[in-house]
Structures are given as C-alpha cells and as structure tokens.
Amino acid sequence: MLEDQILEKSKTTFNGEDINDGLETISSEEAIKMRNAFKNLVLNTPQKSIPMGISPVLTNFSSAVNELSSHFGSIGVGQKYRPQSMSSKHTGSLKTRGELDEIPVEIVELEDFGRLHFETHTSSEVLFKKNRVLDIQDMLVHTKNPITTSMTMLVNEKDIERAVEAFKLLLRVIDPTAKKSDFIFRSIKAFILYGIDYPTLRDELFVQICRQVTLPPNEINKSWDLISLHGWEIFTIAAASFSPTKAFLRYLVSFVRKQKINTPEQSAIFKLISITEYFIKHTMLHGPRSLPPSFAEIESLMDMNPLYTEIIIVGGKPTKFMITMTTTSHELLKTLSRSIGLNDYTGWSLYEVTGVGERAIKPSEYICDVLAEQESHKVPLFDTVDEIPRKTKLVFKKRIFRVTQERKSFDAVEYNLLYHQAVENVRNYVYPILPEEAVSLCALRMQGEFPLQDVSEKTSITLL
C-alpha cells in the first residue's frame, strides 16, 4: 500500500510540477517501460542511504532521471520530461527574435528533405542512359541543363510551369559569361517575383538555388568560382525577399551554415553566405517583401557596396543613412533618432511625401520596398528639398496635434523639430490660415530669430 502511494506521488508530481505532461505524446509501450523502471528505482533504493532532510521520492526521482536519460534523452532534475520532437526548435515556431537565434545548429542534410518532397527526375545528360532515374544526390548538384518538371512536389500545374521557367531564369543569371546589365537585373527581379507572388514556390526556388551552388563531386569547372559567386548573389537577394516554409527552414539554414564552414573567410562568397544567413532570420521575423529589389539594391550587392537612403529632417539638411535590403521603417527610425539625440521617438514616423500627398510608412514596412516602388513608377528618388517640381522624399516628422493622453515632452531636440515642422506646414499651406494670420506668424518668427534691442512701443505692438 505504501509502495503504491509513493509511486503514484512520484510519477505525477516533482517539485510541484506535473511530470506526466509530455508522457502522453510517447507510445504506450515506452510509457510502461519508463514507469516500470521508475518504480524499481524508487522501491529498491535503501532508505538509510538518503541524507537527513531529503525526501526519498525526490532523491530517487533524480536517480530515475539519470537512468532513463539514456533511453529518452537528457533532462535535468526539476525539469519536465519532453520528447525531442516536442522541442520548439523542431516545430518551426518562430515568434520571437530569441527563437530565431535557436534555429537548429545541428547539420541536417538536404537529401533527407529531398527523399520526402522531391519529384522524380530522369537523366538526359548521359549517353545511352536517357531514361536513368536520378537519385537525390544527382538532383542536388549543379547542372547546365533546364529541368522538365519542378524539383519539389507541387500540386498546381501552373506552379510546375512557373518552377520550370524560374530555373531557366536562374541558369541565365548564374551563367559565368553573363555580365552585369539591365537584362540580368530584370532576370533576377523576375525570379524573385515568383517567390513573392507565389508562396507555394518559395521552397522550390530555394532548392533550385541550393542545387546550382553545389559543385558535383570530383568535377573540375574552371568557371566555378564565378558561377558560385553569381549563385550566392541571387541566394542572398532571395533570402532578403521571402522566407522558406517552417518545414524547410532548418534544412535551408543547415545547408547555408555547412557552406559557410567550407568557405574561406576572406572570400566574397563567405560574406554573401553570412549576409544570407542573417536575411533568412530577418524575413522569418518580419515577413516577405512586397516588391522585388530595385536595380540600385542589386547593383549595390553585386559591387559589395553599402546601400544608402536620404532622410529629410525638418529644420535640417537631408541626411544619408546606411540601410540593407531588409531594413524596416522602425529600425531606421531608431537609428535616426539615436543619431540626432532624440530620446523618445514615440509618435514620430517616416513619411513618404510626394507632390500630391503623403503617407506614414508602417513600422514593419521595408524601406527598400518604398525605393523599389518609386523605381517601378519611374519617379526620381530623394531630390533636394528646394528642387521644383517636388519629387518623392522620405521625411522624418511627427503629428502636430497632440492627443490629450500623450505626455508632455521636455526634450529640447523634440521641441526644435516640432517648431520647424510647424513652420514647414504653414509654408506649404497645410493649415488653412488667413493672410493676416500668416503675416503675424512671419512677424513673430522674425522677432524670435532677430530680437530687436531698441524698438518703440508702436513697433513692438505691430510685430506682436
């Protein structure tokens, strides 16, 4: 009777925690095996070997944990037992930046994904073996020939056709004889657009790129360095534009990290691989882009030059800030506020200002999407403030009318910015004021900026 009570207590709670949570996910045979082993350890341990003040149930549970770890994975005393398949890093749940940093470090092979999700391909490259079915390894190495069907299993016939067309674009982009030109840039944009517009194709496109940056074993290709460079350029752009599915994520990250390990650190490809790894995490957190990258973005990446955009701060000169393909409006806002000494940027936003109106850019919106949109409309970007006609600009400002719940600010930098913003709004007829009111405001501004030392009472009244 006492033995049954001890067993029942020990197998249901430990330090107030339910240890059965997680056992329901394993098979009944494993559960029975675990409970029998647990029972033997609990009931067969001599009571006199336990130090005073320590519960025999807790001490034996610790022993049971150590004994069972060889069968069910390592867990620590005081922790709930959970099968490895229940771990968050295997479920693909990516909700926080911390979880993004825990994308599996272990190396998993792309071939394992291929055995589950690849289509069957036949060889047309080897003489007398035209009908030979390619194995997974052959499907994951570089080829010069187009594919006749998708790499992965796709249900929609239209998607299969798009996958075949995308591979043709990829062959064109990584061609070692291809030179940087508008034709190549358009091919890159067309390839990326498939991934943005058709989410079901994203894993397919990543698999295609992985294949084309993998040199076949025991093969010597004099142009491989250039092919690989072009391949990783479009790999980086794709990672900045859309993300893989959660099912494919750990295979993709593992492939990238494996390539990184085998690449010299001083090479341009190593830098591209590092950027690709960062972009994968970033797009998983913030979502895909709305538009394919602009020509300026592609050229900047190919030349390995930083990318800049110009922000107009009211009351100051236009200032250039370095961005990446995945910089969001919120991230740029933080950088800008820090650079000008603005402590609290609550209520401040980046605005896209055109000759016909303005809009606040959402915090999660990619800055480069704004740049790409303007390029698609053939509108010159970021002209100076005084140029006429006025073109699209990015302006840093805050709403003038404060809500009653908003706290009062004592930040001198903010007051100065608000003053210049108000002046700009008056100058651009944002506020409906009478000519007499405009004259009075001009006079007050002159009085503030050029104070008069000796004025008559009449002059003072006129200025006020």
Side-chain angles (χ1 to χ4, degrees):
M1 190 70 174
L2 178 61
E3 293 176 354
D4 293 337
Q5 291 177 355
I6 295 175
L7 176 62
E8 187 64 29
K9 181 178 180 181
S10 61
K11 71 184 180 183
T12 55
T13 60
F14 176 67
N15 282 350
E17 296 186 359
D18 182 9
I19 64 170
N20 280 325
D21 184 17
L23 290 177
E24 296 175 357
T25 64
I26 65 177
S27 67
S28 58
E29 293 182 359
E30 289 176 323
I32 293 171
K33 180 180 178 182
M34 184 175 184
R35 289 176 188 252
N36 288 340
F38 188 93
K39 182 176 180 179
N40 292 333
L41 285 168
V42 169
L43 300 180
N44 295 333
T45 302
Q47 297 294 316
K48 62 181 180 179
S49 64
I50 302 172
M52 290 291 292
I54 299 180
S55 168
V57 172
L58 300 188
T59 303
N60 290 327
F61 181 82
S62 177
S63 302
V65 165
N66 294 332
E67 177 70 21
L68 297 174
S69 62
S70 60
H71 300 287
F72 298 98
S74 177
I75 55 176
V77 176
Q79 297 177 344
K80 295 182 180 181
Y81 168 75
R82 292 191 182 278
Q84 291 184 359
S85 60
M86 295 291 289
S87 174
S88 62
K89 71 178 181 179
H90 293 291
T91 61
S93 176
L94 296 174
K95 297 181 180 179
T96 65
R97 189 177 299 275
E99 288 178 330
L100 283 173
D101 294 334
E102 294 179 3
I103 292 177
V105 177
E106 74 272 12
I107 299 297
V108 291
E109 298 299 332
L110 203 54
E111 289 86 347
D112 296 334
F113 180 84
R115 292 185 183 95
L116 297 174
H117 301 284
F118 278 11
E119 284 283 6
T120 301
H121 283 229
T122 57
S123 171
S124 59
E125 304 173 20
V126 183
L127 294 175
F128 310 113
K129 294 184 178 181
K130 291 186 177 181
N131 296 324
R132 182 176 70 90
V133 176
L134 293 177
D135 56 25
I136 299 299
Q137 288 76 16
D138 292 335
M139 291 177 62
L140 286 173
V141 293
H142 177 82
T143 178
K144 297 178 182 179
N145 300 312
I147 56 177
T148 56
T149 187
S150 60
M151 293 285 297
T152 57
M153 296 179 187
L154 298 174
V155 177
N156 192 320
E157 288 293 333
K158 290 290 185 182
D159 281 344
I160 296 175
E161 293 176 6
R162 295 182 187 111
V164 173
E165 290 300 317
F167 196 81
K168 292 178 182 177
L169 292 170
L170 183 58
L171 289 174
R172 184 185 303 165
V173 170
I174 66 173
D175 185 351
T177 63
K179 296 182 180 180
K180 187 172 63 176
S181 64
D182 288 354
F183 179 70
I184 295 299
F185 287 179
R186 290 191 184 93
S187 298
I188 292 174
K189 293 183 70 168
F191 181 89
I192 298 301
L193 191 59
Y194 277 126
I196 293 175
D197 287 348
Y198 305 103
T200 52
L201 283 179
R202 290 172 184 172
D203 287 354
E204 167 74 22
L205 299 181
F206 279 121
V207 169
Q208 290 183 7
I209 302 174
C210 289
R211 175 179 186 173
Q212 292 303 87
V213 296
T214 303
L215 181 67
N218 304 321
E219 180 176 315
I220 299 175
N221 190 328
K222 295 180 180 180
S223 303
W224 180 248
D225 287 345
L226 199 54
I227 293 172
S228 181
L229 179 64
H230 291 170
W232 279 103
E233 285 172 348
I234 194 168
F235 206 149
T236 305
I237 295 170
S241 302
F242 51 86
S243 57
T245 62
K246 293 179 180 179
F248 184 56
L249 175 63
R250 70 192 193 104
Y251 295 96
L252 182 64
V253 173
S254 179
F255 175 85
V256 172
R257 290 179 177 172
K258 187 176 179 180
Q259 297 297 315
K260 188 177 179 180
I261 292 171
N262 298 325
T263 304
E265 293 187 11
Q266 303 303 320
S267 66
I269 293 177
F270 182 87
K271 295 178 182 178
L272 288 171
I273 295 174
S274 301
I275 297 171
T276 300
E277 185 178 12
Y278 168 78
F279 282 164
I280 291 172
K281 294 180 181 180
H282 203 280
T283 51
M284 286 299 297
L285 186 65
H286 295 285
R289 286 184 49 168
S290 302
L291 295 169
S294 64
F295 283 8
E297 295 174 68
I298 299 172
E299 188 171 23
S300 172
L301 179 71
M302 288 183 170
D303 295 339
M304 298 299 287
N305 290 329
L307 185 65
Y308 292 93
T309 189
E310 192 172 82
I311 308 295
I312 298 173
I313 304 173
V314 287
K317 295 180 179 180
T319 306
K320 289 187 176 181
F321 290 88
M322 188 170 68
I323 59 173
T324 69
M325 290 184 178
T326 59
T327 299
T328 62
S329 174
H330 179 70
E331 291 170 337
L332 184 55
L333 194 65
K334 288 173 62 177
T335 302
L336 190 155
S337 302
R338 210 164 34 236
S339 69
I340 64 175
L342 180 63
N343 298 322
D344 184 6
Y345 53 87
T346 303
W348 289 85
S349 298
L350 290 174
Y351 283 75
E352 182 186 6
V353 180
T354 65
V356 295
E358 64 182 34
R359 73 174 184 92
I361 302 174
K362 297 178 182 178
S364 59
E365 191 171 348
Y366 293 115
I367 293 297
C368 282
D369 272 341
V370 179
L371 188 151
E373 183 178 8
Q374 297 309 314
E375 180 182 89
S376 66
H377 289 90
K378 306 298 182 182
V379 178
L381 284 171
F382 312 131
D383 295 334
T384 59
V385 178
D386 299 327
E387 183 174 345
I388 298 175
R390 299 173 69 86
K391 305 299 182 181
T392 299
K393 308 174 185 69
L394 295 183
V395 181
F396 175 68
K397 61 180 183 176
K398 184 178 184 177
R399 63 184 183 276
I400 289 294
F401 298 105
R402 306 169 69 93
V403 295
T404 54
Q405 294 84 1
E406 189 174 356
R407 68 171 183 79
K408 293 182 178 180
S409 173
F410 298 97
D411 191 336
V413 174
E414 183 172 19
Y415 269 116
N416 185 58
L417 290 171
L418 289 172
Y419 166 74
H420 286 287
Q421 181 177 327
V423 170
E424 284 294 315
N425 286 341
V426 171
R427 241 177 62 184
N428 295 319
Y429 304 103
V430 174
Y431 306 134
I433 60 175
L434 298 174
E436 294 81 4
E437 294 171 328
V439 171
S440 297
L441 289 173
C442 289
L444 286 170
R445 184 179 180 187
M446 288 185 63
Q447 188 179 20
E449 294 187 6
F450 308 101
L452 300 176
Q453 301 298 326
D454 298 316
V455 293
S456 63
E457 183 178 352
K458 182 178 179 180
T459 304
S460 299
I461 293 172
T462 303
L463 288 174
L464 293 173

